[in-house]
């Protein structure tokens, strides 16, 4: 049904279309409004509009001597700001030598000579944790922090919450434990 309505609407819309187009094209179009003239200037009487655009294009391509002299007097000099250079002394101050390495070095740390301050290698972390666990009175958080140049806050948190060698043995189940009976 909707297809039928579309056909009827198309017939009404296209009815006598060609005659309506010819009638619209034959009508006289309104002329453009005259241009406003500035006070004190006389309107060009017989000059066509093309001459105004030609004058404008000519003034664009012509040299303007006063502007060229002003442009020649301008001199711009720019320099990039110099970045602060890092010295070898500053680099050595930011890093510390390794305290401990594993003999077989299974973690691929053979090429390390030093680490940044405030950081640990895996081997150093394991050594510090095992030392603290074996001798907690001599290896306190403060001594570990001084030895490896760490912050005391981070060292306390590391020793308190990270325990890699703590083993908990779960007792075996009792044989006489209560069982749920199947019915």
């Amino acid at each position: 049904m909707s297809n039928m309505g579309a056909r009827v609407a198309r017939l009404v819309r296209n009815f006598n279309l060609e005659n309506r187009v010819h009638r619209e094209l034959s009508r006289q179009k309104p002329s453009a409004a005259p241009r406003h003239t500035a006070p004190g200037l006389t309107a060009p009487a017989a000059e066509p509009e093309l001459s105004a655009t030609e004058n404008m294009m000519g003034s664009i391509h012509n040299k303007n001597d006063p502007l060229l002299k002003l442009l020649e007097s301008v001199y711009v000099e720019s320099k990039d700001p110099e970045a602060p250079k890092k010295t070898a002394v500053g680099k050595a101050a930011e890093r510390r030598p390794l305290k401990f390495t594993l003999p077989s070095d299974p973690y691929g740390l053979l090429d390390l000579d030093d680490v940044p301050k405030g950081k640990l290698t895996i081997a150093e972390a394991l050594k510090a944790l095992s030392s603290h666990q074996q001798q907690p009175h001599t290896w306190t958080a403060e001594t570990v922090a001084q030895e490896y140049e760490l912050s005391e806050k981070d060292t306390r948190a590391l020793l308190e919450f990270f325990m890699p060698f703590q083993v908990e043995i779960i007792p075996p189940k009792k044989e006489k434990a209560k069982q749920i009976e199947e019915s």
Side-chain angles (χ1 to χ4, degrees), residues 82-152:
E82 291 184 20
K85 296 179 181 177
K86 289 188 177 181
T87 60
V89 175
K91 186 178 178 183
E94 295 173 2
R95 301 183 73 83
R96 63 170 180 80
L98 285 178
K99 300 284 183 187
F100 178 78
T101 58
L102 294 175
S104 63
D105 212 11
Y107 302 109
L109 302 174
L110 289 173
D111 57 342
L112 283 180
D113 295 332
D114 56 355
V115 291
K117 287 188 178 179
K119 307 269 183 185
L120 289 175
T121 62
I122 295 171
E124 287 177 329
L126 292 175
K127 176 71 174 170
L129 289 170
S130 66
S131 303
H132 173 72
Q133 195 169 21
Q134 290 172 359
Q135 302 170 347
H137 296 294
T138 57
W139 285 96
T140 61
E142 292 80 20
T143 55
V144 171
Q146 287 176 354
E147 180 72 20
Y148 293 102
E149 298 179 20
L150 303 170
S151 68
E152 287 188 28

Side-chain angles (χ1 to χ4, degrees), residues 4-23:
M4 181 76 151
R7 286 182 182 174
V8 171
R10 192 177 308 119
L11 283 174
V12 171
R13 190 175 57 232
N14 293 340
F15 177 73
N16 205 9
L17 181 66
E18 197 169 325
N19 286 340
R20 287 187 290 162
V21 169
H22 284 297
R23 194 177 330 131

